[in-house]
Amino acid sequence: MSKPGNFKNPFSRPWMAENGAAAAAGGSGTSGLKGVVAGGITGGIEICITFPTEYVKTQLQLDEKGGTKKYSGIVDCVKKTVQGHGFFGLYRGLSVLLYGSIPKSAVRFGVFEQAKQYMLLEDGTLSNTGKLTCGLAAGVAEAIFAVTPMETVKVKFINDMRMEKPRFKGFFHGVRTIVREEGKNMHKLQNL
């Protein structure tokens, strides 16, 4: 048994002591790819954890647009979904958001890492302005290439699942149908 003062952290991170950060600001040229992979994995995990709240929020938003309300609130929506479809009913439509969340995070992390290569100071650190600029570039790229198109597709999928006879047979069939009906310009889809 170890003495109280001899605790050794099993999750040692020596770079924290050396750099004062989770990872060094500089990279070997593969940091962009590492950012894309790390972002994709992070995005997938994040959406698996948060999707039930997203599902309930979207159900309640769509419920307000209909004539007869299906749900009286958050708890009622969760209760009716679980009763009708089981616990995993709260994950109906997860694939749509998963397909969007992984590229969204990959774009954000990847663009940040690429932009960082241009903003590094001589000592290998980022100034506050550099961090802001990299974050801005990452956020704009994420919004244009991932968020707007996937949010539109997500809402259309969740709305389709509310129908008595859903039209979409799966993610790729649904996207093909939406593009065929609405056009290839995803920004047009924002007008639901």
Side-chain angles (χ1 to χ4, degrees):
M1 186 164 179
S2 63
K3 296 178 186 173
N6 294 339
F7 175 77
K8 179 159 170 66
N9 184 349
F11 306 107
S12 173
R13 297 178 288 179
W15 59 88
M16 289 293 285
E18 296 165 13
N19 302 312
S28 60
T30 61
S31 64
L33 178 61
K34 287 178 185 174
V36 169
V37 172
I41 292 169
T42 303
I45 293 169
E46 171 195 22
I47 206 58
C48 287
I49 293 168
T50 61
F51 186 76
T53 55
E54 182 70 25
Y55 177 84
V56 169
K57 177 198 76 148
T58 305
Q59 287 290 349
L60 293 172
Q61 286 173 333
L62 292 171
D63 198 36
E64 288 183 11
K65 290 187 175 186
T68 308
K69 296 211 181 301
K70 203 171 169 180
Y71 309 110
S72 62
I74 294 170
V75 174
D76 186 49
C77 181
V78 170
K79 190 170 128 184
K80 287 180 178 173
T81 301
V82 171
Q83 284 174 345
H85 304 285
F87 173 76
F88 289 107
L90 294 169
Y91 284 91
R92 289 176 43 186
L94 172 68
S95 62
V96 175
L97 220 52
L98 201 55
Y99 290 140
S101 183
I102 291 172
K104 177 183 82 153
S105 295
V107 166
R108 181 181 356 138
F109 280 64
V111 169
F112 185 91
E113 290 298 320
Q114 272 313 118
K116 184 169 74 172
Q117 299 306 312
Y118 296 101
M119 301 300 294
L120 287 175
L121 300 174
E122 289 179 16
D123 64 355
T125 62
L126 277 173
S127 66
N128 287 336
T129 304
K131 291 175 190 174
L132 177 70
T133 304
C134 292
L136 178 65
V140 168
E142 175 185 30
I144 292 170
F145 297 113
V147 174
T148 301
M150 287 313 299
E151 281 294 309
T152 301
V153 169
K154 175 201 75 173
V155 170
K156 286 197 172 280
F157 265 80
I158 291 177
N159 191 40
D160 184 64
M161 280 184 255
R162 293 168 48 94
M163 309 228 178
E164 214 170 287
K165 292 183 179 181
R167 298 179 324 139
F168 305 143
K169 295 174 179 80
F171 177 76
F172 296 107
H173 174 260
V175 170
R176 272 195 311 272
T177 303
I178 292 167
V179 169
R180 192 178 317 113
E181 291 176 0
E182 307 283 342
K184 292 180 182 169
N185 296 320
M186 294 300 271
H187 68 276
K188 289 181 182 178
L189 300 177
Q190 281 300 97
N191 302 321
L192 295 174

